[in-house]
Amino acid sequence: MASGVKPRVKVPKSAAAGDTITIKTLISHKMESGQRKDDDGNLIPRSIINRFTCEFNGEMVIDVTLEPAISTNPYFQFDALVPEAGEFKFTWYDDDGSVYDTAKKIAVS
Amino acid sequence: MKQPIKLKGCIAILAAAGFAAVAHADPDEDQLTVNGEIEMVTEVDAPAHMENLDTIYSGWRFRSDETQAFQMDDFDNPAMIFVEAAAETWDIADGFEGKSCSSCHNDIESMAGVRAVYPKWSETAGEVRTLEHQINDCRENRMGAEKWKYTGGDMAAMVGLISSVSRGLPINVAIDGPAQETWEKGKEIYYTRYGQLELSCANCHEDSYGMMIRADHLSQGQINGFPTYRLKNTKLNSVHARFKGCVRDTRAHTFKPGGPEFIALELYVASRANGLSVEGPSVRN
């Protein structure tokens, strides 16, 4: 597992039903591209987050494929429609098989 | 001998006239509120000891709206990644005493107000100390751990963490009493021209703030926002690293980060911000 990996998300605590909200996410990850060489000239193996998903009450909101050219600490900001109260689930998939997830509840006012 | 000096004077006047005509970039009128709750003072009357300025401004006021926005929300502030890492370090025991920062200092919130009064006279050490020195003193003498590099990443992150809990409080460093001698030394450095370019801190940050230096705005060089996440190098930058960069840019041999000259300069420059809010960790170009 890559070290220092920590997911962060920012979701409003509540919204009106049918509202569009802005979600911000960031995961601290070195995103080693696999193109670089170390001091001895050996290739540093690729180690990136290759997929990011966000689900709301089990329904897919966004499913992203990440490529090696994406920089350290990938940040995503996107809008989502909130039809009802529920939970956003965020998942990041690492090259090494690790899966990092976090969830945020949202109330409807 | 006389002629070249005269010529140099002419060029300087021309350059100054050119700058005044095209390159003004005064502080804007924006208000800084972080996370919608921490109200920052970014403009205030200059402290009594300052002779040449009436009003002091935070460097935040000289930045573009986009850069300013980064600092207004902790989620958007890239410095917070480093601060969060330091918050974990805060609780991790290091060194042969088996202690962490929190073993003595408890919660990080207990450090509120600390950043605002540093650099500060240390009675036990008999000298003016910066926050970095106190951290390393703790590491070496209380924890039995390795000292951190003065301008290194671990250090900048820890200073950022300690600073973050003082955000919004006014900078208030003491310049009288035992600290006065160091303060006066710092003031002398501030007004001394260094390097092949013969520039003092004051030439840019007092005489010329609000103008452009190449493609960037010249601020008053306030350090209330340090440590600072710079977009140009995507990491937290410490005060002494910034001082070093400035002195280097005058094409001079710089002083040593953590050394007596920069401690004196930090105390003096910090005192020029007395009254502005602690902003660190801030975001700048």
Side-chain angles (χ1 to χ4, degrees):
Chain A
M1 182 178 138
S3 64
V5 180
K6 193 176 167 192
R8 298 164 178 77
V9 292
K10 188 171 184 179
V11 179
K13 288 198 170 57
S14 68
D19 253 10
T20 304
I21 58 158
T22 299
I23 295 174
K24 295 172 178 179
T25 76
L26 185 149
I27 188 161
S28 50
H29 193 283
K30 60 184 171 40
M31 297 291 280
E32 186 61 58
S33 70
Q35 305 281 343
R36 303 196 307 158
K37 286 174 181 167
D38 64 16
D39 291 341
D40 301 325
N42 302 316
L43 216 55
I44 305 171
R46 179 183 126 155
S47 170
I48 67 167
I49 297 286
N50 57 47
R51 184 180 175 216
F52 165 69
T53 63
C54 170
E55 289 163 69
F56 182 67
N57 290 348
E59 189 186 343
M60 191 66 82
V61 176
I62 190 170
D63 187 343
V64 183
T65 303
L66 284 81
E67 303 289 351
I70 292 171
S71 305
T72 309
N73 303 338
Y75 172 95
F76 289 107
Q77 179 180 324
F78 52 93
D79 291 348
L81 194 74
V82 183
E84 64 207 14
E87 189 175 71
F88 282 100
K89 186 168 180 257
F90 305 90
T91 318
W92 292 260
Y93 299 85
D94 198 311
D95 269 352
D96 62 17
S98 307
V99 175
Y100 316 98
D101 57 24
T102 185
K104 288 276 175 185
K105 283 193 169 59
I106 185 163
V108 164
S109 53
Chain B
M1 224 17 230
K2 214 177 169 191
Q3 213 179 356
I5 290 172
K6 224 167 152 187
L7 188 66
K8 201 168 152 193
C10 275
I11 293 167
I13 290 162
L14 278 177
F19 264 53
V22 295
H24 257 282
D26 286 328
D28 65 12
E29 294 301 319
D30 294 340
Q31 291 289 320
L32 175 55
T33 306
V34 173
N35 299 333
E37 56 182 33
I38 311 172
E39 303 270 353
M40 299 280 191
V41 176
T42 58
E43 173 180 349
V44 73
D45 288 344
H49 69 79
M50 284 171 74
E51 295 138 17
N52 306 322
L53 293 179
D54 296 328
T55 310
I56 52 174
Y57 299 96
S58 160
W60 183 83
R61 294 277 294 275
F62 294 84
R63 306 272 62 101
S64 68
D65 288 349
E66 294 82 357
T67 310
Q68 287 180 335
F70 270 128
Q71 202 186 317
M72 296 176 79
D73 185 322
D74 280 357
F75 195 90
D76 293 333
N77 185 341
M80 286 301 161
I81 293 172
F82 302 90
V83 167
E84 282 178 25
E88 285 177 15
T89 311
W90 182 262
D91 293 319
I92 297 170
D94 195 3
F96 57 78
E97 298 285 349
K99 287 182 184 174
S100 68
C101 304
S102 59
S103 306
C104 295
H105 296 290
N106 305 316
D107 197 59
I108 181 63
E109 295 297 331
S110 72
M111 305 303 275
V114 171
R115 170 76 271 189
V117 296
Y118 269 86
K120 183 179 154 191
W121 176 262
S122 161
E123 208 55 63
T124 44
E127 61 182 8
V128 172
R129 287 276 184 91
T130 63
L131 207 45
E132 283 90 340
H133 285 118
Q134 294 295 51
I135 291 168
N136 263 346
D137 187 59
C138 272
R139 287 188 61 79
E140 204 176 13
N141 299 320
R142 295 203 206 177
M143 297 164 70
E146 290 270 312
K147 284 208 279 189
W148 279 330
K149 183 172 178 252
Y150 194 90
T151 55
D154 290 330
M155 182 63 91
M158 187 53 75
V159 175
L161 174 68
I162 293 170
S163 178
S164 70
V165 295
S166 294
R167 283 184 296 171
L169 300 172
I171 301 264
N172 185 22
V173 295
I175 62 172
D176 50 1
Q180 190 176 353
E181 196 185 324
T182 309
W183 180 80
E184 276 167 3
K185 188 176 152 199
K187 183 175 181 179
E188 197 190 321
I189 293 172
Y190 191 88
Y191 285 102
T192 302
R193 289 168 179 268
Y194 290 100
Q196 289 180 319
L197 299 184
E198 296 186 358
L199 289 168
S200 72
C201 308
N203 291 139
C204 287
H205 296 293
E206 192 168 272
D207 305 341
S208 312
Y209 76 87
M211 292 185 181
M212 303 296 282
I213 184 163
R214 300 174 71 184
D216 201 0
H217 295 128
L218 265 181
S219 72
Q220 290 184 343
Q222 301 289 4
I223 57 172
N224 58 313
F226 276 85
T228 290
Y229 179 89
R230 297 191 69 189
L231 303 175
K232 71 173 276 187
N233 62 12
T234 66
K235 68 180 178 96
L236 273 182
N237 295 266
S238 64
V239 176
H240 288 202
R242 179 63 271 196
F243 286 168
K244 187 180 164 188
C246 266
V247 179
R248 179 204 59 211
D249 290 348
T250 70
R251 300 187 190 161
H253 284 292
T254 79
F255 300 111
K256 186 171 172 282
E261 296 86 1
F262 276 168
I263 294 169
L265 184 61
E266 183 177 344
L267 176 63
Y268 177 68
V269 176
S271 78
R272 290 172 68 94
N274 273 351
L276 291 175
S277 300
V278 174
E279 279 179 37
S282 65
V283 184
R284 301 284 188 266
N285 298 35

